[in-house]
Amino acid sequence: MEEGDPLRIDIVSDVMCPWCYIGKRRLEKALAEVPDIAVSLRWMPFQLDETLPPEGKDRAQYLNEKFGGAERAEAAYAPVRAAGAAEGIPFAFDRIRKSPNTLDCHRLILWSRAENAQSEMAERLFQLYFVEGADLTDPETLIQAADDVGMMSDLVAELLPTDSDKDKVQRDLDNARAIGVTGVPCFIIDERFMVMGAEAPETLAAAIRHAHETRPGNGA
């Protein structure tokens, strides 16, 4: 491996996006294919539905508005279930009772960067929502998630009711759209290459290799 800083991969994601959970699993497989390349992961926010109220919306109502009813929603989620099963994710959509506004989740992921625990936090929030059916708008759920990944949950409890870092998250949300992110997951590799969607591990691995080989100073 060449000397220098790790290759940065920005993961633009929303914790209420099932394909983002699948994309996380596929990225992990891709990284296992390129063990000689040092990488640094940074999770960045995206909101699939920023119009959701802070307290979220009843899941049945949300699905009816989005898909036209539970049956159509189930049909839409069938390929997601299949893809999730292939990645070891036991999606339990029937357990979800509320579709959340994820702004506070993104604040939590931002704060977890200081503990180098962003991937662990994203994983915990994905699991809480898609497997356990937890309410991600409940501060107690988020405080417990912080504790689960080793963050200072007392500090999180103090910060959540405030506006701390809401402006920073909003700037990051605006920046994602400004640079052309229209759907998630989106993987931005070395600030030069963008892979949109939950692509296959080999596709992600190839993009990572290419970014590494073409870095300035790597003899490209």
Side-chain angles (χ1 to χ4, degrees):
M1 188 182 74
E2 296 288 337
E3 294 292 326
D5 295 332
L7 189 76
R8 194 174 94 190
I9 302 176
D10 289 344
I11 308 162
V12 188
S13 167
D14 192 5
V15 294
M16 70 175 293
C17 166
W19 285 108
C20 290
Y21 198 3
I22 293 166
K24 180 179 184 294
R25 286 283 191 271
R26 292 178 177 174
L27 176 63
E28 289 165 354
K29 290 182 177 178
L31 294 176
E33 292 184 21
V34 289
D36 55 319
I37 300 175
V39 302
S40 173
L41 304 181
R42 186 175 72 164
W43 288 77
M44 303 298 291
F46 191 91
Q47 284 196 290
L48 289 180
D49 191 347
E50 59 189 13
T51 69
L52 284 165
E55 68 275 12
K57 181 179 286 189
D58 176 77
R59 181 69 171 176
Q61 180 185 350
Y62 182 79
L63 293 179
N64 187 61
E65 293 172 357
K66 185 176 178 65
F67 296 107
E71 288 188 11
R72 289 185 177 179
E74 181 59 33
Y77 282 132
V80 181
R81 287 184 188 275
E87 302 299 338
I89 302 171
F91 282 115
F93 296 112
D94 56 309
R95 293 185 180 178
I96 301 172
R97 294 291 174 262
K98 184 182 288 187
S99 293
N101 183 304
T102 54
L103 182 63
D104 282 343
C105 293
H106 290 305
R107 292 166 73 205
L108 195 55
I109 293 171
L110 172 64
W111 296 334
S112 69
R113 187 183 299 166
E115 306 291 335
N116 196 29
Q118 281 196 301
S119 292
E120 290 82 0
M121 178 54 70
E123 176 69 30
R124 185 65 185 123
L125 293 172
F126 281 135
Q127 185 181 54
L128 280 166
Y129 186 59
F130 287 115
V131 180
E132 301 176 27
D135 178 5
L136 295 186
T137 68
D138 182 355
E140 291 303 318
T141 299
L142 301 185
I143 293 165
Q144 182 59 53
D147 189 65
D148 291 342
V149 303
M151 292 175 64
M152 295 192 303
S153 57
D154 289 349
L155 179 58
V156 170
E158 290 180 17
L159 292 175
L160 272 176
T162 74
D163 289 334
S164 178
D165 287 320
K166 285 184 179 180
D167 56 343
K168 177 168 177 43
V169 171
Q170 190 58 56
R171 285 197 301 271
D172 287 341
L173 290 167
D174 294 342
N175 182 64
R177 291 184 171 85
I179 63 175
V181 178
T182 56
V184 286
C186 177
F187 305 95
I188 303 172
I189 306 170
D190 200 35
E191 300 184 90
R192 294 182 295 132
F193 302 103
M194 185 181 293
V195 179
M196 199 92 71
E199 292 288 349
E202 53 268 26
T203 301
L204 287 168
I208 293 167
R209 286 194 198 95
H210 178 69
H212 175 69
E213 290 167 359
T214 58
R215 289 184 92 181
N218 273 13

